[in-house]
């Protein structure tokens, strides 16, 4: 992963307050940094809470809020600016009892100041997992994955005007147990990066033009976990995700096209790891992620200098 010109400038562990700290996202909102992630006793099958950290300079962080729902595993928080201008967290919620999940449905919380949040509001439908949304011109788009049976997993494109009332726009023809997916607008088209589990589990990249019902898909050479990517000002794309190298998981930055992922920089990571947040700010890429390479799962923040 050398020779790309991408350079790790700094790395800091910013939180390890819980036994297991994981599944991050990162945003800059009204001149402040926000990092959201799940706190729990273990990776899964137990109640989880969402911790929101805040920073003015990206170096000193404080806890701004803690979101919890009794008996529910809240996880995979994604931060964005809501259509009404408030800060929004989209998250998954699964009631858990005696180590078993009893359903699943997305939730939304909103805040005007990052400290006081609305209670988790169920959205979409029971069985949906709307993993991340992107917004453009009053339209919120995202991909939900569903588990109709142990052998049949499906993904569908959902849309909303207010970020609360989501309806299915189109089913997506992605085989191989598709699940976690990040979608981004690129001009008027949308690009999607989708994790898959079956067979070799190689990720798929899709592209669609308005009205976003017809898609072209390409298989990559990489197996991903917690896929995320951003579109740069020149239209090129950078992804951050969990990959597998030398038989072990790592977190890596990748150059991305509509046909491929090419790893360009490995971040210090290992073990239980991945699920990065990404923000491009003043020409530098900021990446939040979690990793257990130094013991338990902790939250890290990297700054990366990009070529050009």
């Amino acid at each position: 992963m050398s020779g790309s010109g991408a350079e790790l400038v700094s790395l800091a562990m910013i939180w390890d307050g819980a036994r297991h700290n994981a599944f991050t996202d990162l945003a800059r909102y009204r001149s402040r940094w926000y990092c959201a992630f799940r706190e729990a006793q273990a990776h899964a099958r137990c109640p989880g809470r969402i911790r929101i950290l805040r920073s003015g300079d990206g170096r000193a962080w404080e806890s701004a809020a803690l979101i919890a729902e009794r008996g529910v595993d809240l996880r995979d928080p994604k931060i964005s600016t809501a259509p009404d201008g408030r800060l929004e967290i989209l998250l998954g919620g699964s009631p858990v009892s005696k180590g078993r999940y009893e359903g699943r449905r997305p939730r939304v919380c909103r805040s005007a100041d990052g400290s006081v949040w609305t209670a988790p509001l169920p959205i979409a439908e029971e069985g949906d997992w709307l993993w991340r949304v992107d917004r453009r011109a009053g339209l919120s788009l995202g991909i939900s994955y569903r588990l109709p049976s142990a052998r049949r997993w499906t993904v569908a494109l959902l849309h909303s005007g207010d970020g609360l009332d989501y309806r299915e726009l189109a089913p997506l023809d992605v085989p191989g147990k598709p699940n976690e997916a990040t979608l981004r607008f690129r001009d008027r088209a949308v690009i999607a990066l989708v994790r898959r589990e079956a067979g070799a589990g190689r990720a798929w990249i899709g592209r669609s033009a308005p009205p976003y019902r017809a898609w072209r898909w390409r298989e990559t050479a990489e197996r991903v976990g917690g896929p995320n990517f951003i579109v740069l000002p020149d239209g090129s794309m950078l992804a951050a995700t969990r990959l597998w190298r030398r038989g072990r998981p790592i977190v890596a930055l990748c150059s991305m096209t509509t046909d491929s992922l090419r790893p360009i920089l490995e971040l210090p990571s290992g073990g239980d790891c991945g699920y990065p947040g990404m923000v491009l700010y003043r020409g530098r890429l900021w990446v939040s992620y979690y990793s257990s390479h130094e013991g338990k799962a902790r939250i890290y923040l990297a700054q990366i200098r990009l070529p050009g």
Side-chain angles (χ1 to χ4, degrees):
M1 298 187 191
S2 61
S4 69
E7 177 188 357
L8 180 62
V9 176
S10 68
L11 179 71
M13 190 280 290
I14 61 173
W15 191 265
D16 67 348
R19 184 172 180 180
H20 191 270
N21 312 271
F23 316 122
T24 80
D25 201 25
L26 186 68
R28 188 166 175 83
Y29 178 78
R30 295 181 179 174
S31 301
R32 289 185 174 184
W33 290 99
Y34 289 88
C35 182
F37 52 91
R38 172 182 178 266
E39 291 186 341
Q41 291 296 306
H43 183 99
R45 297 182 178 84
C46 62
R49 310 178 302 179
I50 303 303
R51 174 81 62 182
I52 298 100
L53 302 184
R54 180 170 55 202
S55 173
D57 58 9
R59 294 188 296 272
W61 293 82
E62 64 176 1
S63 177
L66 185 64
I67 299 171
E69 191 174 341
R70 185 176 179 85
V72 175
D73 184 8
L74 299 178
R75 58 194 298 130
D76 292 345
K78 304 294 184 292
I79 318 175
S80 63
T81 301
D84 65 9
R86 287 184 290 173
L87 196 60
E88 176 182 289
I89 292 183
L90 170 69
L91 59 154
S94 296
V96 59
S97 176
K98 298 180 180 179
R100 298 187 64 180
Y101 288 130
E102 299 178 344
R104 48 188 258 163
R105 190 173 178 183
R107 275 100 159 132
V108 161
C109 303
R110 289 179 176 174
S111 173
D113 62 3
S115 296
V116 179
W117 292 81
T118 60
L121 174 69
I123 60 169
E125 302 291 337
E126 177 65 28
D128 275 318
W129 198 294
L130 183 60
W131 207 70
R132 189 190 300 274
V133 299
D134 200 15
R135 296 188 163 103
R136 179 74 59 84
L139 176 64
S140 298
L141 280 183
I143 294 175
S144 174
Y145 71 93
R146 302 157 179 168
L147 312 178
S149 68
R151 294 187 176 183
R152 180 172 173 262
W153 300 10
T154 64
V155 283
L157 182 66
L158 304 189
H159 70 117
S160 173
D162 61 4
L164 299 175
D165 182 18
Y166 281 92
R167 307 291 177 88
E168 182 171 325
L169 181 61
L172 302 179
D173 188 17
V174 180
K177 292 187 174 181
N179 52 98
E180 301 164 350
T182 285
L183 176 150
R184 303 287 188 190
F185 282 93
R186 189 186 188 205
D187 296 325
R188 297 186 66 230
V190 290
I191 312 296
L193 176 60
V194 183
R195 175 179 176 178
R196 298 163 68 244
E197 298 299 319
R202 296 189 182 98
W204 274 24
I205 297 173
R207 183 187 184 279
S208 181
Y212 311 121
R213 296 181 182 275
W215 286 75
R216 188 207 76 168
W217 295 97
R218 293 290 185 267
E219 184 174 274
T220 74
E222 299 293 345
R223 176 183 171 193
V224 305
N228 193 8
F229 73 95
I230 60 173
V231 180
L232 300 178
D234 65 359
S236 62
M237 296 179 288
L238 282 176
T241 185
R242 182 178 64 213
L243 299 178
W244 289 83
R245 287 294 180 270
R246 303 174 294 279
R248 67 180 185 90
I250 61 165
V251 180
L253 182 68
C254 302
S255 173
M256 177 176 163
T257 70
T258 54
D259 298 292
S260 66
L261 287 175
R262 182 174 66 87
I264 58 174
L265 181 67
E266 180 177 337
L267 299 178
S269 55
D272 187 4
C273 65
Y275 293 70
M278 305 174 72
V279 174
L280 183 67
Y281 179 64
R282 293 183 176 176
R284 186 167 290 184
L285 183 66
W286 297 59
V287 179
S288 64
Y289 65 99
Y290 85 96
S291 177
S292 61
H293 66 289
E294 294 183 309
K296 69 177 184 179
R298 296 177 166 98
I299 307 301
Y300 294 85
L301 181 67
Q303 291 187 49
I304 299 168
R305 182 181 294 114
L306 302 177

